[in-house]
Amino acid sequence: GTIMASTWWRRAHTTAARELIEATQAADAWARAHPKLARSSLSATASVTTTPPPLESLETFLRWRGYDLPGEGAARGHALTIVSHALTYPLTLATYVAKSVAVERRALRVVVVGARAESSLPSRVWAELAHAVPQVTRWDVLFVGPQVAATRRLAGLTVGKTRLAALRRSLRASDDLSSLFEEAFDDGPIDVVCLFNPGIGHHKLEGGWRGALETV
């Protein structure tokens, strides 16, 4: 029974992963063919004055924020895939904070450990944190890691109530990363430490992560 269940889970996981890859590839192709529609899909137009809806439903949040998605059909599905991919990081963080952190009327300092793709997102995408959890008076988001996008300015950038900054150092995959993260943690109190799949379990990287995780 256990072997059969394990085999079923692996097949289901493989199928889901393949379907996700195919959906992403189709959305990318659509975006290349319709760049104006794709760009407008990533733009929120509503001036928000009401309490945000529960974050469990992406489409409800997008309607509340006034994202300009195509009305129906395959184009809407492709646009949702693109927007979902972009907002996964800030809305995942916002959902956790809203449920698990006492945030009433105070600033939050967040360190994203081992940041990669999430550090390359446009600032306006991360600024959705302020809309999703308006009780936070200021978000300080620090991207830390050797693979932080080179396009992210290290000095910090403020969009509304969201301040973005980055700490990056060129390291080999085999290097111990702990010194890099110690530098971030020594810079003041931290409310949330966030890891968005930075490769901890990769067989070529896990050795370098050991000291970093002890620091975290």
Side-chain angles (χ1 to χ4, degrees), residues 66-152:
Y67 275 82
D68 186 18
L69 301 180
E72 58 186 17
R76 184 174 181 83
H78 296 323
L80 274 173
T81 297
I82 291 171
V83 176
S84 173
H85 184 72
L87 293 181
T88 288
Y89 301 109
L91 291 188
T92 297
L93 175 59
T95 300
Y96 170 78
V97 166
K99 291 182 177 181
S100 308
V101 181
V103 297
E104 193 64 34
R105 307 305 303 168
R106 73 182 182 95
L108 280 186
R109 185 164 184 256
V110 179
V111 174
V112 182
V113 173
R116 297 191 292 183
E118 60 271 31
S119 67
S120 67
L121 291 173
S123 302
R124 67 177 184 277
V125 174
W126 280 103
E128 291 295 333
L129 286 169
H131 297 293
V133 191
Q135 305 95 308
V136 177
T137 58
R138 190 185 74 250
W139 291 85
D140 285 329
V141 182
L142 177 64
F143 302 108
V144 184
Q147 292 180 289
V148 168
T151 54
R152 176 64 66 201

Side-chain angles (χ1 to χ4, degrees), residues 43-57:
S43 300
T45 59
S47 178
V48 176
T49 58
T50 58
T51 302
L55 297 175
E56 285 79 4
S57 170

Side-chain angles (χ1 to χ4, degrees), residues 175-198:
D175 287 345
D176 189 330
L177 304 176
S178 58
S179 61
L180 182 60
F181 300 122
E182 285 171 358
E183 187 175 341
F185 300 147
D186 287 343
D187 194 33
I190 294 171
D191 299 291
V192 179
V193 176
C194 187
L195 293 87
F196 288 116
N197 190 27

